[in-house]
Amino acid sequence: MSAQEWATQAANKILNRCDQLSKLTSMEGGIERDYLSPQMAKAYELTAGWLNEVGIATHIDQAGNLVGRLEGKEPGLPALVLGSHLDSVPDAGKYDGILGVVTAVSVVEHLAKTGANKKLPFAIEVLGFGDEEGARFGATLLGSYAFGGGWRDEWLGLADRNGVTMRQAFVDFGLDPDEVGQAARKREDYIGYLEFHIEQGPILEQRNRALSSVTSIAAASRYMVTVNGMSCHIATPYDLRHDALTAAAEIISAIDDISQKSGTRANVGEICAEPGGVNVIAGKTMFSLDVRAGNDALRDEVFKQIWQQANNIAASRHVSVSHTQIHTANAVQCDPFLRSCIEEGIEQAEGKEAFGLVSYPGHDGMAVAELLPIAMLYVRCKGGISHSPYESVRADDVAYGTQAFEQAVLNVAQRISSIK
């Protein structure tokens, strides 16, 4: 069977398995699978079963990540990690994160069945990270930060919407919260990290391409912005108003303009005006702000422009404005060696010259990069829609991607062997 024929068959199995995982949900009529939840335990059981069928040992690590390991030409070699996440946002699609884990499973299945792993100068570990989205406790990339050595013990005190702390959730899941730090891996035990993921954007579709590599994962910072004015009656003349809501609206419009002109991505996803009376001018308005940029310097420059313009608008409207950072992550560059292995795999599978895209969404690779070199392979998704039940991928694209992903693994092996 040719690589293309195998990948076509594998793609159908992959999509079927994504369908199976989509049924493991806490949300009626939709997909929601949280970190350390009973639904996640079932997802691990199902995924581990697929690996166990071909003799691949699995376990759950101290941070609640699913791990499967396929040995190379001899036991105990450093491992190349293939991973993504198995948790979801509320009312999710079937493929964000999940497609990457299931594709990695298919690749190691094929290597095990054909015996190709016995020629590899490294082992392969499949990682199904327990939390990338942060939907349950608010902090993101928990599983991959633990893997990469970036775990913070204060996270254990965070509580979900039902008041359950993360510490208690660990206990309920059968894990010891005081052992989470032991999930941190040692650099000498690993080669690098490869992640297969839907694009979560429309560029591949616009270019009529199935696949790309990722050049970098964008720098990102999030803030809560507060505009303080004065509540008063609608009868108040405009020149005497201190309207926090109209000032916020003007600031948000300025953010949109600055972001578009700079080539970054910005979003205001939450807004709240107080006191909220239909005939009362808002005395206080709060909104969230998320900005993504291809590099740290551009992100920081955009925020400098935003805060300067916000202060100007606040002064002209007789209000005050302040901001509090709630998240920040610097840009992560994908490793040139690993990226070239992926791009060679793309060119072999798709028969077209490979190219790279900046990833504006964050991924587990951002946290893993604190420990290991990383690279990513993007596959086209319909309309660029993600974090939505309308997420959709094409079977032929998944086939191209699966072939390219396995070839990337073999390319890494070939190049390491030639160096030795």
Side-chain angles (χ1 to χ4, degrees), residues 37-236:
S37 66
Q39 294 76 28
M40 183 61 79
K42 292 178 181 178
Y44 285 172
E45 182 180 357
L46 182 60
T47 307
W50 297 328
L51 291 165
N52 297 159
E53 286 175 2
V54 290
I56 297 172
T58 60
H59 69 278
I60 297 172
D61 72 10
Q62 296 93 333
N65 300 312
L66 177 67
V67 184
R69 182 178 173 95
L70 177 65
E71 298 293 348
K73 62 183 180 182
E74 58 187 68
L77 291 170
L80 178 67
V81 181
L82 311 181
S84 196
H85 60 96
L86 286 168
D87 67 316
S88 79
V89 297
D91 203 20
K94 297 179 182 179
Y95 305 112
D96 173 21
I98 285 78
L99 182 67
V101 176
V102 177
T103 301
V105 169
S106 283
V107 167
V108 296
E109 275 183 334
H110 189 233
L111 294 172
K113 286 180 178 178
T114 60
N117 64 299
K118 296 178 181 178
K119 299 179 182 179
L120 296 178
F122 48 74
I124 298 178
E125 286 191 7
V126 175
L127 260 292
F129 290 112
D131 178 284
E132 190 257 15
E133 301 291 1
R136 183 174 183 183
F137 296 105
T140 61
L141 302 168
L142 297 177
S144 44
Y145 270 131
F147 178 95
W151 178 265
R152 291 159 51 185
D153 283 338
E154 58 262 36
W155 287 334
L156 292 170
L158 297 173
D160 66 15
R161 57 186 175 271
N162 295 316
V164 179
T165 65
M166 192 186 301
R167 174 175 287 278
Q168 184 60 50
F170 266 92
V171 173
D172 294 344
F173 202 74
L175 297 170
D176 184 343
D178 294 321
E179 294 183 355
V180 184
Q182 297 178 28
R185 279 30 173 209
K186 297 178 181 178
R187 176 65 183 89
E188 61 267 25
D189 293 335
Y190 291 90
I191 299 294
Y193 173 82
L194 302 180
E195 183 166 357
F196 182 93
H197 208 282
I198 58 172
E199 182 197 350
Q200 297 180 283
I203 306 303
L204 285 172
E205 191 169 73
Q206 289 173 359
R207 296 190 185 185
N208 193 29
R209 292 292 298 272
L211 308 172
S212 78
S213 68
V214 171
T215 58
S216 65
I217 304 174
S221 291
R222 297 174 186 169
Y223 287 82
M224 289 303 300
V225 182
T226 301
V227 182
N228 282 301
M230 181 184 296
S231 299
C232 52
H233 197 279
I234 188 176
T236 306

Side-chain angles (χ1 to χ4, degrees), residues 312-330:
N312 293 340
I313 292 168
S316 70
R317 288 189 172 272
H318 311 293
V319 298
S320 64
V321 61
S322 61
H323 52 268
T324 302
Q325 189 177 83
I326 56 175
H327 169 77
T328 191
N330 290 338

